[in-house]
């Protein structure tokens, strides 16, 4: 079902086409749009004029022309269900922090830098044309990082410089001109970047037929920039190209993936196998092979890592403006006095109220990390009570170090799990389902101790088994999907078995490895399942860490190397997770403190789970000889 | 032309690593045609410049001395006198660059040009034009006979069989023999790009032709199904530039076949200016092989001068 009112915040660098590409899908699914556009550019006023001409449906597009500071104001309006922000990285981060707890969905599309990878098997002249398209034309969104294989470095530089000499800059509406200007602010940014690069030891080459007055800036090629310098880490502004050499394809991938940005990239190589390998290995949203900048409204365009995770175009672009039927409208659950610095920082120490009596309990469970049970770093455990007040068991007290170890283990298992065929994934999930079936009586008795009636307990176990099988079948049916990476999941307190399995299954089915914090009320059920996973699953595929939920949530939310976080806990925790995700801009899914009907198909096993567990990547390969 | 290219020894490694990506070249070709339009008095100037690049061509089975004579007269006076006077260009000696005919008609052409008092060169096609599928001995003899008759430029066709079977050394050897047979005459090597199969082959053939001593490389005979197109030209121009960077020798470029409108000719001039620069925009390094192009250019100039569109009978036939 459609989302409702969309608040769209657009930057000044957008062309009319790009603005329409974000507004039209929203309108197509039935949402209405309020667009906030910067005041200095004339393009949005055309938009406003068009909006005014929509006689029968006044108000479906509204355009506000104002400074960027109005962004958070627009976003915090109670009627706005979703905010889509396109623009600079730091503003996106600030918006993410400001919107924590507001209850609105946030989609971010940040940064404009692209990457071009030139291998020695490429048509160098055509790749040089690709660089011109990518960085020195009016269609280019931003600057370019150019990686050139060392054996063709001299050739490539010579051709680039000769080509730059033929570029003509001038007023954009003059048809015989290659690139125009983007305003004084863009010019100043480019100038500052180039000066800093020079001071850090880079060589700068500028050429082209450029008018001398502001705001025109000549096409610029920066080379010999030391990789460790601050300029090499910062985003490259338009119209600058920063060139660096690489030796082998492996090194190229490491260099290319070694930035926090993950927007778009092109690979130039006439060897098909090499081109596809590089294309698949790059962590970006769009890869063009032997071309650059191709776009089509039916193909999803987006990014990953710090380029934001919102999409436009294709079915993914439509899903941005839809939400599952029955989801409640936005409800702000903001807690104004939540202290982000101290939330979950210190684990409240719990001294036992009195001497513990009862039958000798089983030895405490460890943390399930790296395929086996291990002792926690803090070497302490916490007692778990059952519904009748008796001691049910002890579980480990995990802390920051354990989270770190769990995430590392998950990363180690990630590449081999992602490479598994869909059939292998199905087989593993079905094996776990069979193991749970065999363990039914033990699981049911534990559930009974938590106060669940025997019949309901058996039903819960059966439903969990069915869900595992269903997700396994779906994994095979839909073939290869692109995984997010390491997914961190904080399970809800209620439904300790069913919710755990319902969240685990889609994450694994889509090729992710997981770090899970099970239900706080009864983590023992999850740990029972871990006993089976220890024998069936490869090490590190699933990691379960028990302990103080707020503290563990804090560690996960602040971790820079987790690709997504699902949180089903308190409202305060949800707010903290949203706020902390601004660190590496990981996509988050929070429950806002509201309960979820895990036993129902729609909420417990619906398509939303599958959509949130995977991402998209577009690969373009023009054919012809 | 006192200087002619003597050829240098072959370096096959230059061409073995080359890759040409077809879709990317197509995109670049579209881009060039869309940008750099020329208008108003600059357009008139460019059109006059284009006239000086034309190799006025007649290659038909029914050529006789009468139409050759008409052609040579048109070569000396390509634009009507009063139009040139209106542009103040009547005393600049604007003629076409050369006249191009079959070997049997070379004597007629030389005689006609002498009668008109014009010293532009006569170019002759040779080596089994247009298919080139005759014995090497007769092909070489054709060149010698044409040179004897007075042709100072020879347009030869390469052996496409050798290209399609990858026999680059044999191709080099043949073109060297053509070079020797030409003697002092200028050698233009026609690559017949429409029959070469891929842009990579076009690049390799261009390089071999230049290494073996051609003064010009030419896109096509004009008789193939696909003649001079922008993608092929881009590849050949890149080959010329690479050859210049490697050896310092400037080799000329000639597109031929399918260039009929004045607008096309301007696009070709823009292409050469973009890819190679202004030094290549002179008749020693750039020619356009065309026959009906001249009348279209004349009509455009007529329109520029008078503001009216000419009828077919307003302008002299060529």
């Amino acid at each position: 079902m459609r989302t409702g009112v969309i608040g769209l915040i657009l930057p000044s660098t957008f062309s009319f086409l790009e603005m329409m590409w974000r507004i039209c899908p929203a309108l197509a699914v039935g949402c209405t749009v309020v667009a906030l556009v910067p005041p200095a550019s004339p393009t949005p006023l055309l938009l406003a004029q068009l909006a005014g001409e929509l006689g029968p449906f006044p108000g479906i597009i509204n355009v506000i022309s104002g400074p960027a500071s109005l962004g958070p104001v627009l976003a915090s309006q109670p009627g706005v269900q979703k905010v889509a922000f396109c623009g600079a990285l730091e503003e996106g981060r600030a918006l993410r922090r400001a919107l924590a707890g507001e209850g609105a969905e946030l989609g971010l599309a940040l940064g404009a830098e692209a990457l071009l990878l030139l291998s020695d098997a490429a048509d160098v002249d055509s790749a040089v044309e690709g660089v011109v398209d990518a960085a020195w034309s009016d269609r280019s969104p931003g600057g370019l990082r150019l990686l050139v294989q060392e054996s063709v470095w001299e050739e490539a530089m010579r051709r680039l410089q000769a080509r730059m000499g033929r570029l003509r800059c001038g007023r954009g509406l003059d048809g015989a001109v290659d690139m125009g200007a983007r305003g004084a602010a863009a010019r100043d940014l480019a100038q500052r970047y180039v000066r800093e690069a020079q001071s850090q030891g880079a060589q700068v080459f500028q050429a082209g037929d450029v008018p001398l007055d502001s705001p025109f800036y000549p096409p610029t090629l920066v080379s010999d920039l030391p990789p460790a310098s601050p300029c090499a880490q910062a985003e490259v502004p338009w119209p600058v190209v920063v060139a660096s050499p690489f030796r082998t394809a492996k090194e190229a991938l490491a260099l290319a993936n070694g930035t926090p940005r993950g927007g778009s990239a092109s690979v130039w190589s006439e060897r098909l196998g090499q081109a596809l390998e590089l294309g698949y290995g790059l962590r970006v949203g769009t890869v063009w092979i032997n071309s650059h900048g191709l776009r089509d409204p039916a193909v999803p365009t987006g990014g990953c890592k710090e380029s934001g995770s919102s999409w436009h175009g294709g079915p993914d672009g439509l899903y941005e403006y839809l939400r599952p039927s029955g989801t409640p409208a936005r409800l702000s659950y903001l807690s104004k006095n939540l202290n982000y610095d101290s939330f979950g920082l210190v684990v409240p120490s719990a001294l036992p109220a009195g001497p513990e009596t009862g039958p000798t309990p089983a030895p405490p469970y460890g943390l399930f990390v790296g395929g086996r049970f291990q002792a926690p770093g803090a070497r302490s455990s916490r007692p778990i009570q059952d519904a009748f007040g008796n001691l049910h068991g002890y579980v480990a007290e995990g802390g920051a170090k354990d989270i770190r170890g769990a995430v590392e283990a998950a990363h180690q298992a990630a590449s081999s799990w992602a490479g598994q065929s869909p059939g292998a994934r199905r087989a593993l999930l079905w094996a776990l389902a069979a193991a749970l079936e065999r363990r039914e009586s033990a699981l049911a008795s534990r559930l009974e101790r938590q106060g669940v009636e025997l019949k309901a307990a058996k039903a819960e176990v059966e439903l969990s088994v069915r869900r595992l099988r269903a997700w396994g079948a779906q994994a095979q049916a839909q073939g290869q999907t692109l995984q997010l990476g390491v997914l961190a999941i904080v399970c809800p307190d209620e439904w300790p078995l069913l919710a755990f399995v319902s969240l685990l299954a889609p994450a694994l089915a889509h090729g992710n490895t997981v770090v899970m914090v099970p239900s706080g009320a009864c983590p023992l059920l999850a740990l029972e399942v871990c006993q089976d996973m220890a024998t069936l699953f490869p090490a590190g595929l699933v990691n379960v860490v028990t302990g103080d939920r707020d503290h563990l949530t804090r560690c996960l939310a602040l971790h820079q190397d987790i690709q997504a976080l699902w949180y089903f806990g308190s409202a305060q925790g949800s707010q903290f997770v949203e706020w902390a995700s601004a660190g590496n801009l990981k996509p988050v899914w929070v429950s806002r403190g509201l309960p979820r009907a895990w036993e129902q198909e729609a909420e417990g096993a619906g398509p939303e789970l599958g959509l949130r567990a995977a991402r998209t990547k577009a690969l373009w390969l023009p054919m012809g000889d | 032309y006192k200087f002619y290219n003597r050829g240098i020894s072959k370096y096959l490694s230059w061409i073995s690593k080359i890759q040409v990506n077809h879709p990317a070249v197509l995109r670049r070709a579209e881009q060039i045609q869309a940008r750099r339009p020329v208008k108003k008095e600059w357009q008139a100037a460019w059109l006059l410049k284009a006239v000086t690049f034309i190799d006025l061509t007649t290659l038909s089975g029914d050529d006789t001395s009468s139409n050759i004579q008409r052609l040579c007269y048109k070569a000396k006076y390509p634009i009507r006198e009063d139009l040139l006077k209106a542009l103040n260009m009547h005393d600049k000696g604007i003629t076409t660059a050369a006249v191009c005919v079959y070997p049997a008609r070379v004597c007629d052409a030389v005689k006609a040009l002498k009668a008109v008092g014009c010293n532009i060169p006569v170019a002759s096609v040779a080596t089994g034009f247009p298919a080139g599928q005759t014995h090497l001995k007769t092909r070489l003899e054709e060149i010698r006979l044409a040179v004897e008759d007075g042709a100072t430029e020879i347009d030869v066709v390469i052996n496409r069989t050798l290209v399609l079977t990858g026999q680059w050394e044999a191709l080099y050897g043949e073109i060297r023999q053509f070079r020797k047979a030409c003697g002092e005459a200028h050698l233009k090597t026609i690559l017949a790009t429409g029959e070469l199969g891929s842009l990579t082959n076009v690049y390799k053939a261009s390089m071999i032709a230049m290494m073996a001593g051609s003064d010009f490389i030419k896109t096509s005979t004009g008789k193939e199904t696909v003649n001079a197109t922008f993608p092929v030209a881009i590849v050949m121009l890149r080959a010329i530039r690479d050859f210049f960077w490697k050896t310092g020798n400037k080799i000329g470029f000639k597109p031929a076949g399918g260039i009929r409108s004045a607008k096309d000719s301007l696009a070709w001039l823009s292409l050469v200016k973009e890819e190679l620069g202004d030094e290549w925009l002179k008749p020693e390094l750039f020619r356009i092989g065309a026959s009906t192009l001249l009348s279209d250019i004349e009509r455009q100039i007529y329109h520029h001068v008078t503001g009216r569109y000419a009828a077919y009978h307003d302008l002299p036939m060529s």
Side-chain angles (χ1 to χ4, degrees), chain A residues 578-592:
Chain A
E578 287 190 334
W579 179 88
S581 72
N584 71 337
L585 292 172
K586 52 167 107 41
V588 295
W589 183 22
V590 298
S591 66
R592 310 172 193 164

Side-chain angles (χ1 to χ4, degrees), chain A residues 123 125 166 176 178 270, chain B residues 21 28 35-36 241 245 274:
Chain A
D123 176 1
D125 280 303
R166 305 242 185 271
D178 290 311
E270 293 294 314
Chain B
N21 185 280
R28 173 70 177 139
R35 298 186 192 170
R36 314 284 190 267
R241 179 205 58 198
W245 279 353
E274 277 281 307

Side-chain angles (χ1 to χ4, degrees), chain B residues 73-106:
Chain B
Y73 188 85
K74 191 76 180 170
K76 167 91 172 150
Y77 302 108
I79 308 283
R80 224 172 65 177
E81 191 71 22
D82 58 334
L83 294 175
L84 281 181
K85 266 213 185 82
L87 294 170
N88 202 14
M89 295 292 285
H90 50 279
D91 51 355
K92 299 287 193 290
I94 292 189
T95 64
T96 63
V99 165
C100 187
V101 294
Y102 268 118
R105 302 269 71 80
V106 171

Side-chain angles (χ1 to χ4, degrees), chain A residues 158, chain B residues 3 5 8 14 210 239-251 279-280 285:
Chain A
R158 182 175 194 181
Chain B
F3 167 78
N5 184 287
I8 53 178
W14 289 4
M210 290 190 283
I240 292 177
R241 179 205 58 198
D242 290 349
F243 188 77
F244 173 58
W245 279 353
K246 285 197 161 76
T247 65
N249 285 330
K250 289 186 184 167
I251 309 294
E279 314 94 68
W280 258 264
L285 287 174

Side-chain angles (χ1 to χ4, degrees), chain A residues 44 68 102 116 132 272 304 333 350 372 429 440 583 608:
Chain A
E102 296 279 351
L116 195 145
V132 172
L272 186 63
C304 60
Y333 60 98
R372 56 191 185 84
L429 286 172
E440 188 197 350
E608 186 184 11

Side-chain angles (χ1 to χ4, degrees), chain B residues 273-294:
Chain B
K273 191 183 164 80
E274 277 281 307
E275 290 284 320
L276 291 174
D278 287 342
E279 314 94 68
W280 258 264
L281 282 177
K282 43 183 204 265
E284 291 82 18
L285 287 174
F286 180 58
R287 298 284 180 81
I288 301 178
S291 40
T292 48
L293 175 65
L294 187 52

Side-chain angles (χ1 to χ4, degrees), chain A residues 246-425:
Chain A
F246 66 88
R247 289 167 299 168
T248 61
K250 264 211 185 70
E251 193 180 25
L253 274 182
L255 282 173
N257 289 333
T259 67
R261 294 173 287 282
S264 56
S266 65
V267 174
W268 293 79
S269 167
E270 293 294 314
R271 280 207 290 267
L272 186 63
Q274 183 189 52
L276 286 175
E277 186 186 23
L278 288 170
Y280 274 79
L282 284 169
R283 283 204 67 108
V284 290
T286 307
V287 176
W288 297 286
I289 295 185
N290 290 328
S291 50
H292 197 106
L294 305 176
R295 272 179 229 285
D296 189 283
V299 176
T301 310
C304 60
K305 297 195 283 187
E306 282 186 16
S307 290
S309 54
S310 84
W311 293 84
H312 67 278
D316 299 71
L318 289 180
Y319 276 122
E320 289 282 310
Y321 300 115
L322 296 171
R323 57 201 168 102
S325 321
T327 319
R330 165 186 176 163
L331 266 175
S332 169
Y333 60 98
L334 179 63
S335 147
K336 288 216 172 10
N337 51 2
L338 177 62
N339 187 338
Y340 295 115
D341 292 325
S342 67
F343 176 87
L345 188 59
V346 172
V347 178
S349 60
L351 291 172
E356 291 168 354
T357 57
T360 320
Y365 277 96
L367 305 169
F368 182 65
V369 171
R372 56 191 185 84
F373 286 93
Q374 358 178 313
R379 302 263 185 255
S380 69
S381 32
R382 57 168 49 202
I384 301 293
Q385 312 256 320
D386 68 12
F388 310 102
N390 300 327
L391 182 64
H392 199 163
Y394 286 96
V395 295
E397 186 74 33
K401 269 221 186 82
D402 306 301
I403 291 287
R404 193 186 78 185
V407 174
E408 265 177 37
H411 271 293
Q412 276 179 354
S415 52
S416 57
W417 179 240
Q420 290 282 338
S421 68
R425 289 192 211 150

